[in-house]
Amino acid sequence: MSTTSLPASDHAPRLREALIAAAFTADGLLERLGAPAYAALARSETVPALRATRGDSPLDTLVRLFLLQRPVPAAAAAAALPLAECVADGWAVHGGDLVRATVDVRPYGGPDGQDWFIVSDLGCAVGGAGGIGSHEEGVVLGVGGASTTLAGITVRKPVASALDLGTGSGIQALHAAQHSTRVTATDVNPRALEFTRLTLALSGAAPADLREGSLFEPVGDETYDLIVSNPPFVISPGARLTYRDGGMGGDDLCRTLVQQAGDRLNEGGYAQFLANWQHVEGEEWQDRVRSWVPAGCDAWIVQREVQDITQYAELWLRDSGDHRTDPAVYVQRYEAWLDEFEARSTKAVGFGWITLRKSAAAAAGTPSLVAEEWPHAVEQPLGPAVEAHFARQDYLREHDDAALLAAHFTLAEEIVQEQVGLPGAEDPEHVVLRQHRGMRRATKVDAVGAGFAGVCDGSLPAGRILDAIAQLMAEDPVLLRDRTPQAIRLLVEEGFLEPVR
């Protein structure tokens, strides 16, 4: 683990002012670098950004110093930031005529246009994990795709207490600080807690309660309204790298995290995780992950990606730079991954999101446990869609078929209808309803379903609409009422129809 001392935050407000004044912000970077160079940073490619910052403006200097880790002339650094204070606090070192950064500082745009800054180990801000030149045990990463994904799916309603478990550089704690009265951030790596402190201070956020330890050990029996975690979920042979390897066998870390979260949630509270899970011979992955859900909780499990064991091993061997080592060492480590999977009868690894919500209905023995595969594009942020999913589950649990027929519905926003069939055919083979928001689902419906959805404006109960459709289609209204509630239930569950409450 690196033993480099980290900066103090005494003059963080002054440094923040200087960064913003120089437009060293997410918007400022995009404007200065241009879209191609800005996108290249996410791929860990720095050459375009270096070419774009060959000038001597304060923004050019700050990009090279804090984001690209290039030494800059002391005179340029003094013109861009309060140099003496930055050196005194340890953000930079001044040697001869050059100044070098001691940490990565990456501008990050908050959800409401806030100018935030994520602080991480040198070489770890650009492109997330892929931007690290050489991995060390205990290294702390900056912003990566997993971090932004979790931030986007998190429910953002105001809460009294939030827990960021495995905080890393503090991005989840930073988001939580905007809508939580009290934020607790934990990590097994003490350097991560220090980076979280810096991230919050430099972003102008309230400090968090920082605690060292593994899983829920640092918080004891305390409970929260929101728990978020981007844990070290990688299923690996051993625990070489703290930031990614959980140190438990197989997917046990993710299972343990989910199982223990129920006791730490307040009624109505959410726990949201990213996770990997094994696809084991003779077992459905949905059954495996559903078995993790603690009593008293509803769950929505979404599998976003599946990799066979060779793809998975190669991904994480590249992540740690093993593909650039001695070929014999690479082969040995690759074999170790495959041995691990073979011993556990694992044929593939799934990646996705797990959301728990503590509810009275689940505690009473009727939990909603939805596990689905959805590899398609979604619209972030998904937090509102997550909250709406659980509200729909509540509604459907409370309404039997007779109640559904008496209820009023409206068609959700931005739903379009597509007719699928051969060109020139008088009637389509089938009709598809497609969402352009949230999960962007699509579902096939018959003529009754399409007609029903098209006239749902909240003015008539579902049963009356079906009676009118039966008359138009010369069908028996009683039979139509009997067979349609299940279709209505599915359209409500997937968010195509919204109940009028």
Side-chain angles (χ1 to χ4, degrees), residues 189-209:
N189 181 0
R191 282 177 61 79
L193 300 176
E194 287 303 297
F195 275 115
T196 294
R197 173 180 59 81
L198 295 174
T199 289
L200 294 173
L202 197 57
S203 298
D209 178 4

Side-chain angles (χ1 to χ4, degrees), residues 99 172 239 242 299 305 457 486 490:
V99 172
Q172 309 306 329
T242 303
E305 184 180 1
D457 61 3
Q486 186 58 38
L490 178 63

Side-chain angles (χ1 to χ4, degrees), residues 273-475:
F273 316 103
L274 302 184
N276 273 168
W277 43 79
Q278 296 165 233
H279 285 224
V280 177
E281 293 283 354
E283 176 186 61
E284 295 296 328
W285 74 264
Q286 294 94 332
D287 294 338
R288 183 180 189 85
V289 185
R290 281 196 199 101
S291 73
W292 298 354
V293 177
C297 287
D298 302 314
W300 186 18
I301 301 155
V302 181
Q303 181 167 272
R304 295 288 288 159
E305 184 180 1
V306 181
Q307 292 182 311
D308 67 48
I309 57 175
T310 61
Q311 292 173 314
Y312 188 81
E314 291 161 15
L315 168 67
W316 294 109
L317 287 167
R318 287 193 301 271
D319 169 82
S320 55
D322 289 314
H323 62 304
R324 295 190 294 267
T325 63
D326 182 303
V329 174
Y330 177 77
V331 170
Q332 182 183 25
R333 287 179 174 169
Y334 200 149
E335 290 273 12
W337 284 74
L338 298 185
D339 288 343
E340 174 79 7
F341 289 131
E342 183 178 335
R344 296 180 179 277
S345 300
T346 300
K347 59 183 179 178
V349 177
F351 166 80
W353 318 324
I354 300 175
T355 299
L356 308 177
R357 185 195 58 165
K358 196 155 192 177
S359 76
T366 57
S368 167
L369 304 179
V370 177
E372 61 176 323
E373 187 159 9
W374 191 253
H376 311 293
V378 299
E379 181 192 50
Q380 286 276 31
L382 266 177
V386 172
E387 191 170 9
H389 166 88
F390 287 97
R392 292 193 299 268
Q393 297 301 316
D394 287 343
Y395 179 87
L396 292 171
R397 275 187 295 210
E398 295 163 1
H399 289 73
D400 60 15
D401 288 354
L404 285 181
L405 292 174
H408 296 238
F409 300 95
T410 59
L411 189 65
E413 292 183 0
E414 297 193 40
I415 304 292
V416 298
Q417 175 179 301
E418 300 172 358
Q419 296 184 341
V420 181
L422 294 173
E426 184 174 344
D427 296 314
E429 293 179 10
H430 60 264
V431 175
V432 174
L433 300 182
R434 187 177 301 278
Q435 301 170 347
H436 283 263
R437 304 291 298 274
M439 292 291 285
R440 294 179 174 169
R441 296 186 187 277
T443 188
K444 284 199 293 187
V445 294
D446 59 13
V448 172
F452 180 86
V455 298
C456 277
D457 61 3
S459 61
L460 293 174
R464 289 272 302 278
I465 294 174
L466 290 177
D467 291 343
I469 292 175
Q471 186 174 6
L472 285 172
M473 300 181 69
E475 290 205 28

Side-chain angles (χ1 to χ4, degrees), residues 72-75 94-99:
V72 299
H94 186 178
D97 294 329
L98 295 176
V99 172

